[in-house]
């Protein structure tokens, strides 16, 4: 055993332990400093604003402030469920959320599985770039482009008329087309970005599993079914639960850009309703009650489905 000039082998062991603890503490400080901006973001923009939910139980007056506004208890929640317009907005929000999950959730997973089968690296990188590029475009740009394409004199209607002899379709003003158009554009814009998460998870799968499957005679389809998908199950469960928790949320920029009086009955969702009635109409307490209602529904869905997922698949987010 090595000896220390200051006091034998025990001194070396103590010195090494102290150096290890010091290095570990420095790493901890560095990691905390790196996490500090993210923690500050959540603290300032997510947790502190939660205190504002108290105005859902008040007749809030911005001149009187939170501490001097009249307390009314559950008045706004009772009014919310009795108001006829609330049922319509709830129906549209649920439809938007369910269709977004039904069509938007499996799309990036399927794209990731298909892209993973491409062997030409240059083509794979180019395709991946093209797929997630729309994510970086604002809805003002995307909305302006598709407003021109889908108008009655736009390219889509001209092609339908020339190829199939169809009359011009009012995609932007017909209520029956509004929800499908908005959800389809949302899936197109975000599918590439969500796909990156699955590609990252696929890259972490042990390649020896695929080699063993090939030796056993499994083709590409069976490899994807028995190796890739089970390996992606933790990521699938987490992303699905997070999306279900936001089932009553909509992309307010997207819906608000295409929303107009002709399609309001089919396209008004909670976020646009809160913007119109709360911010524009000044009914802050009532629309805050709607926000609390949405949050409670999201929490109940996440907790309940998380328990169900833990029992059925063994995977959960906590």
């Amino acid at each position: 055993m090595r000896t220390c000039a200051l006091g034998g082998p025990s001194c070396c062991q103590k010195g090494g332990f102290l150096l290890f603890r010091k290095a570990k503490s420095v790493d901890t400080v560095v990691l905390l400093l790196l996490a500090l901006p993210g923690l500050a973001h959540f603290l300032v923009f997510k947790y502190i604003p939660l205190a504002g939910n108290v105005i859902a139980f008040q007749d809030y007056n911005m001149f009187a402030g939170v501490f001097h506004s009249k307390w009314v208890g559950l008045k706004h929640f009772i009014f919310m469920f009795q108001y006829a317009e609330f049922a319509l907005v709830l129906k549209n929000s649920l439809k938007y959320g369910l269709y977004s999950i039904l069509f938007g959730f499996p799309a990036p997973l399927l794209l990731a599985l298909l892209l993973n089968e491409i062997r030409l690296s240059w083509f794979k990188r180019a395709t991946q770039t093209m797929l997630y590029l729309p994510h970086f475009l604002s809805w003002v740009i995307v909305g302006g482009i598709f407003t021109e394409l889908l108008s009655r004199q736009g390219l889509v209607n001209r092609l339908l008329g020339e190829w199939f002899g169809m009359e011009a379709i009012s995609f932007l003003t017909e209520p029956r087309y509004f929800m499908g158009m908005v959800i389809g554009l949302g899936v197109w814009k975000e599918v590439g970005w969500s796909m990156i998460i699955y590609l990252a998870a696929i890259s972490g799968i042990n390649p020896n599993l695929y080699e063993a499957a090939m030796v056993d005679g499994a083709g590409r389809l069976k490899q994807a079914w028995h190796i890739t998908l089970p390996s992606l199950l933790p990521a699938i469960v987490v992303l699905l639960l997070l999306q279900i928790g936001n089932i009553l949320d909509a992309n307010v920029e997207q819906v608000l850009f295409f929303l107009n009086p002709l399609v309001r009955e089919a396209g008004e969702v909670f976020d646009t309703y809160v913007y119109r009635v709360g911010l524009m109409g000044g009914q802050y307490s009532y629309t805050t009650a709607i926000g609390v209602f949405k949050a409670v529904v999201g929490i109940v869905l996440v907790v309940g489905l998380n328990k169900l997922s833990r029992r059925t698949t063994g995977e959960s987010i906590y």
Side-chain angles (χ1 to χ4, degrees):
M1 182 181 295
R2 293 180 57 189
T3 59
C4 179
L6 297 178
S10 61
C11 179
C12 288
Q13 292 175 356
K14 292 179 181 179
F17 178 70
L18 291 174
L19 287 174
F20 173 75
R21 287 190 60 184
K22 184 177 181 180
K24 188 175 181 180
S25 63
V26 171
D27 291 341
T28 302
V29 172
V30 171
L31 291 175
L32 288 175
L33 290 175
L34 289 174
L36 190 59
L39 293 174
H41 167 79
F42 280 101
L43 179 65
V44 173
F45 295 104
K46 300 295 182 180
Y47 289 102
I48 293 179
L50 289 176
N53 288 330
V54 70
I55 70 175
F57 306 94
Q58 299 176 326
D59 275 334
Y60 176 71
N61 186 314
M62 66 170 59
F63 300 104
V66 175
F67 297 103
H68 300 287
S69 295
K70 181 182 178 182
W71 288 88
V72 295
L74 299 177
K75 169 187 171 182
H76 298 294
F77 292 93
I78 296 172
F79 174 75
M80 177 178 66
F81 289 109
Q82 293 177 344
Y83 195 39
E85 197 171 7
F86 175 81
L88 176 64
V89 176
L90 176 61
K91 174 186 173 183
N92 290 338
S93 298
L94 283 173
K95 186 186 296 184
Y96 182 94
L98 290 173
Y99 284 167
S100 296
I101 294 174
L102 181 63
F103 297 105
F105 182 77
L109 176 59
L110 293 175
L111 272 179
L113 293 174
L114 293 173
L115 202 61
N116 186 56
E117 300 300 321
I118 298 177
R119 292 294 171 258
L120 295 176
S121 58
W122 65 268
F123 182 74
K124 182 177 181 179
R125 288 195 298 268
T127 305
Q128 182 176 337
T129 302
M130 292 176 61
L131 287 172
Y132 71 69
L133 185 61
H135 169 79
F136 298 98
L137 300 177
S138 71
W139 274 109
V140 175
I141 297 174
V142 174
I145 293 173
F146 280 93
T147 297
E148 292 296 325
L149 291 175
L150 297 175
S151 66
R152 291 185 65 87
Q153 293 79 31
L155 178 62
V156 174
N157 273 314
R158 289 206 303 268
L159 292 178
L160 290 175
E162 292 175 4
W163 293 352
F164 303 103
M166 297 174 59
E167 296 183 359
I169 300 174
S170 301
F171 292 104
L172 303 175
T173 57
E174 282 285 344
R176 56 179 174 171
Y177 297 123
F178 180 82
M179 192 65 71
M181 178 192 65
V182 171
I183 293 173
L185 290 179
V187 172
W188 169 81
K189 187 175 183 295
E190 300 298 336
V191 66
W193 185 253
S194 302
M195 176 190 66
I196 295 176
I197 301 175
Y198 293 114
L199 287 175
I202 290 174
S203 65
I205 299 175
N206 190 347
N208 293 331
L209 297 175
Y210 293 104
E211 295 176 2
M214 292 174 63
V215 171
D216 291 338
R220 305 300 301 179
L221 185 60
K222 288 187 176 181
Q223 291 178 35
W225 182 258
H226 294 288
I227 298 176
T228 308
L229 282 177
S231 300
L232 291 177
L233 189 59
I236 293 173
V237 169
V238 171
L239 293 176
L240 180 60
L241 288 176
L242 292 177
Q243 194 163 347
I244 288 176
N246 296 319
I247 193 170
L248 294 181
D249 292 331
N251 191 324
V252 65
E253 296 177 2
Q254 174 192 5
V255 180
L256 200 59
F257 187 93
F258 292 102
L259 193 65
N260 59 73
L262 295 176
V263 296
R264 188 174 300 280
E265 184 177 349
E268 184 88 284
V269 293
F270 276 129
D271 293 339
T272 58
Y273 181 71
V274 167
Y275 171 78
R276 180 170 61 88
V277 176
L279 295 180
M280 304 299 291
Q283 299 187 40
Y284 304 112
S285 295
Y286 170 57
T287 49
T288 301
I290 293 177
V292 173
F293 168 76
K294 286 172 54 183
V296 171
V297 171
I299 292 172
V300 170
L301 287 175
V302 169
V303 172
L305 292 175
N306 186 68
K307 291 183 179 180
L308 179 63
S309 174
R310 189 188 302 123
R311 292 178 180 177
T312 55
T313 67
E315 302 291 344
S316 63
I317 58 176
Y318 61 86

